[in-house]
Amino acid sequence: MTAEPAAAAPAWPHCAEGASAADPVGCRGVQVADGGRCLKHLPPARRAAVLAALTAGGDLDLRGTTVDEDLLTALRGACTDGASGRACFGRADFTEALFTGDAEFVAVAFAGEARFNGATFAGLTSFDSAVFAGEARFNGASFAGHASFDSAAFTRHVWFEAAAFAQGARFNAAAFAGGARFGSATFTSGVRFNSASFTGHTSFEAAAFGGEARFNSASFTGDAHFDAAVFEGLQHLGPLTCAGLIDFGGARFTGAQVTIEAGAAVVVCERTAFEGSAVLRLRYATLDLSRATLSAPVALQGWPVPFTDQRGGELDEGLLAAGGAPPAVRLASLEGVDAAHLVLTDVDLSRCRLVGAFHLDQVRIGFGCRFAGPPAGWHRRGVRPARWSRRKVLAEEQHWRAAAGGAGARGWPAGPHHGTPGRGPGPEDLAGVYQQVRRAFEEAGNEPDAADFYYGEMEMRRLDRRRPRAERRLLGAYWLVSGYGLRASRALAWLLAAMAASLLLLVLFGLPDDTPDPRSTGTYAAGSVRLTTRTPEPVLTLPWERRVTGARVGRAALVVVNSVVFRSGGQNLTLPGAVVEMASRIGEPVLLGLAALAVRSRVKR
């Protein structure tokens, strides 16, 4: 077996008590002035003299020192302020100190910088109601017993990076006025930050949470980073509020079910792995789910009312509501997400990027979800006024139309680049997305909303220049005549126009002067009579000014209505009139059917 390397000597003059061949360093405690030994190993008389020289607000240097309960009690007593009755340290340096018993720092005031980097707390640790006026550093500290920082006040920046909490840890009602960093910290048996307030930048990057991680009623004024954190078996996180960004990018939630409740400006779950089912109840938030892993059903819900704290009161959302911002939840992106397990309720999807998502036909879009629409109002197409047909529109179509330029881009909002600039999703990509979302609505029995996505699918196919020209022209005619069978008003307008044209043509060219009467002629031969009945050919010889009369218009209207509705003829018409009637019997019922189809698509359940 290879022997473990001996520990390196500390960077400060150290005590070296107990040094031996096996342990050449010995005691790592910093030497007390002119003592040659640390405070722990000083002779009793010398130690008493050092303690007697301490005053409230005095500096402490106990780097590497072993501190038992008696020594800590003596230190607190020596630095107690007579007026306030509380211990007050100036600059306190406990770097790599070893606290062998319980470490009681309850209500201690640290007037200067407090350093506990690499310190080991073997017993219970309490910093309840402690006040840190300067920076506090607990990087790499190890807490073997329960650690409590309830109601502690950190006036400036605090570091707990790579700190290890073997038992439970509490920071309830703690106030972090500066930045707080818990990067790579390990909470083996859970941690509580109930009602804690974080004013500056907060980081739990790569932290490991075992068991519960409670942030009930916690508030973050700045950004809160949980990127690459691991939540083992977490069941509930929040409710909490964050005026900035909550970043769960790359985090893992390994529990069977987790509920996250938060009011935040932005929530990022990019590459987040939900290994069990999850419920995300959010307010005010813009959520990014890009490339997240959803292994089980994940429900995203816009929560309609403010969250409540443990006492039943509402959480303060003043910073989030500033400026009149609505509490709606906006989904920003599903790029790279397998959406088969995703359930959306009361979510704004007007700016959500869907290109690149998988199994969108299986996503469940519930009530209250909103999509974007085309620009409102009138615009010009050439010399004629026009307006966009009202429908639900994907964000990527908005971006594509805006990027296309020209008159057709007016009013469409531009979007971010998708990958390489200039290679954003085009009509061929959007047609597939529209098709999948349409199927999702159809599977849910929501035919009216599915119709909007069918319209979008047809639009993208019509505008896709990679498709054959004949197909695009056919789709163009389908769009022009009836809005792909979804615009009843357009089909009815064309029907009325066609019927009016047929009526005019019949009046001018189709109706004869008079209805020809049948004429019978007969011959008698060999005791028998032979009769022949013939109807003269319809003739139109009336002058132009006599062709347009009320009677002729009524006759023509009867012919047109019979052709369109009842599909019957029976009128004597001239040859041009017969051609007009046949065209009416073929084309106009098609327009009537398209109008009926459009109405049905809007009322079908």
Side-chain angles (χ1 to χ4, degrees):
M1 296 178 61
T2 303
E4 295 183 1
W12 53 83
H14 64 287
C15 174
E17 177 76 15
S20 63
D23 180 14
V25 176
C27 176
R28 303 172 66 84
V30 64
Q31 295 178 3
V32 177
D34 300 328
R37 291 288 183 266
C38 66
L39 188 60
K40 170 67 175 176
H41 294 116
L42 278 179
R46 178 61 177 153
R47 182 195 303 177
V50 172
L51 292 174
L54 294 176
T55 59
D59 293 342
L60 293 178
D61 185 0
L62 294 170
R63 290 172 289 175
T65 303
T66 300
V67 181
D68 56 23
E69 293 185 29
D70 292 337
L71 179 55
L72 183 57
T73 300
L75 289 170
R76 289 200 311 268
C79 296
T80 297
D81 180 28
S84 63
R86 65 188 300 172
C88 180
F89 300 145
R91 184 182 184 277
D93 195 343
F94 290 90
T95 300
E96 296 186 21
L98 171 61
F99 295 87
T100 57
D102 295 344
E104 292 285 347
F105 288 90
V106 176
V108 171
F110 294 87
E113 183 182 23
R115 288 178 174 264
F116 291 86
N117 294 335
T120 300
F121 298 85
L124 299 178
T125 304
S126 177
F127 284 85
D128 293 347
S129 301
V131 177
F132 296 85
E135 293 182 344
R137 299 177 182 269
F138 290 83
N139 296 335
S142 176
F143 299 85
H146 188 86
S148 178
F149 290 80
D150 289 349
S151 301
F154 299 91
T155 305
R156 301 185 66 182
H157 212 102
V158 57
W159 284 267
F160 282 89
E161 293 190 354
F165 298 84
Q167 301 298 323
R170 294 203 315 262
F171 292 82
N172 297 330
F176 299 86
R181 294 184 178 272
F182 291 82
S184 301
T186 303
F187 302 93
T188 304
S189 298
V191 62
R192 298 186 182 187
F193 286 90
N194 297 337
S195 301
S197 61
F198 300 85
T199 303
H201 180 88
T202 305
S203 174
F204 289 89
E205 181 179 355
F209 297 89
E212 62 182 9
R214 295 192 179 182
F215 287 81
N216 299 350
S217 305
S219 62
F220 297 84
T221 303
D223 295 343
H225 287 267
F226 294 86
D227 36 320
V230 178
F231 297 87
E232 295 282 350
L234 180 67
Q235 295 183 352
H236 197 278
L237 182 64
L240 57 87
T241 59
C242 179
L245 172 146
I246 301 178
D247 189 357
F248 291 105
R252 286 198 305 121
F253 294 86
T254 64
Q257 182 174 0
V258 61
T259 298
I260 300 176
E261 296 181 323
V266 179
V267 178
V268 175
C269 290
E270 185 175 359
R271 294 187 176 89
T272 303
F274 295 95
E275 298 180 6
S277 62
V279 178
L280 307 180
R281 296 174 182 151
L282 304 178
R283 285 175 59 79
Y284 293 97
T286 296
L287 173 66
D288 186 350
L289 277 174
S290 300
R291 293 177 288 282
T293 301
L294 313 182
S295 302
V298 173
L300 171 60
Q301 182 178 11
W303 201 243
V305 296
F307 296 113
T308 57
D309 57 24
Q310 293 175 324
R311 299 179 180 178
E314 294 183 354
L315 295 188
D316 184 8
E317 298 178 340
L319 293 177
L320 291 170
V329 173
R330 298 160 295 277
L331 186 57
S333 176
L334 286 177
E335 182 182 359
V337 176
D338 187 343
H341 296 295
L342 185 60
V343 181
L344 304 175
T345 304
D346 202 16
V347 176
D348 185 350
L349 299 168
S350 61
R351 304 291 288 176
C352 182
R353 302 190 300 274
L354 298 178
V355 172
F358 307 100
H359 297 133
L360 282 172
D361 56 329
Q362 299 179 42
V363 67
R364 279 152 286 183
I365 303 176
F367 64 87
C369 292
R370 298 168 296 284
F371 286 86
W378 293 87
H379 63 282
R380 288 189 174 275
R381 292 181 183 174
V383 296
R384 62 184 180 88
R387 64 183 181 89
W388 296 102
S389 182
R390 305 310 301 169
R391 61 184 174 92
K392 292 178 173 61
V393 176
L394 295 181
E396 282 98 341
E397 182 184 345
Q398 294 181 313
H399 306 162
W400 173 76
R401 289 186 182 273
R410 295 173 184 171
W412 293 95
H417 293 298
H418 293 259
T420 305
R423 298 191 63 184
E428 66 279 4
D429 304 304
L430 295 175
V433 177
Y434 270 113
Q435 183 185 71
Q436 291 191 58
V437 179
R438 169 179 62 82
R439 290 177 178 174
F441 277 105
E442 289 174 345
E443 287 294 325
N446 188 348
E447 294 289 343
D449 285 338
D452 277 352
F453 291 93
Y454 175 75
Y455 191 105
E457 178 187 348
M458 293 295 102
E459 275 285 271
M460 295 300 101
R461 288 175 57 188
R462 178 174 70 89
L463 299 173
D464 183 6
R465 295 188 177 276
R466 298 184 182 184
R467 291 184 177 272
R469 181 176 299 178
E471 178 184 349
R472 289 190 286 115
R473 288 180 175 176
L474 179 61
L475 290 173
Y478 192 22
W479 164 79
L480 183 64
V481 170
S482 64
Y484 309 113
L486 297 174
R487 298 296 180 259
S489 58
R490 192 178 304 180
L492 288 174
W494 280 106
L495 174 61
L496 293 176
M499 292 176 68
S502 299
L503 178 68
L504 180 60
L505 291 174
L506 287 175
V507 168
L508 295 178
F509 304 104
L511 296 179
D513 295 342
D514 296 301
T515 302
D517 295 325
R519 297 179 180 179
S520 300
T521 59
T523 58
Y524 178 80
S528 63
V529 178
R530 183 178 180 182
L531 295 176
T532 302
T533 302
R534 294 181 179 178
T535 301
E537 292 292 330
V539 177
L540 176 59
T541 59
L542 291 174
W544 291 103
E545 63 272 13
R546 293 182 57 190
R547 293 187 184 188
V548 182
T549 63
R552 288 175 63 82
V553 169
R555 289 173 57 195
L558 186 62
V559 173
V560 172
V561 172
N562 280 334
S563 299
V564 174
V565 180
F566 301 105
R567 307 278 292 154
S568 63
Q571 296 287 338
N572 289 308
L573 302 173
T574 64
L575 179 60
V579 173
V580 171
E581 183 194 29
M582 285 188 294
S584 298
R585 294 180 67 181
I586 294 173
E588 292 168 10
V590 173
L591 294 173
L592 182 61
L594 290 174
L597 177 64
V599 172
R600 183 176 181 273
S601 68
R602 291 299 178 183
V603 300
K604 182 180 178 182
R605 297 178 60 85

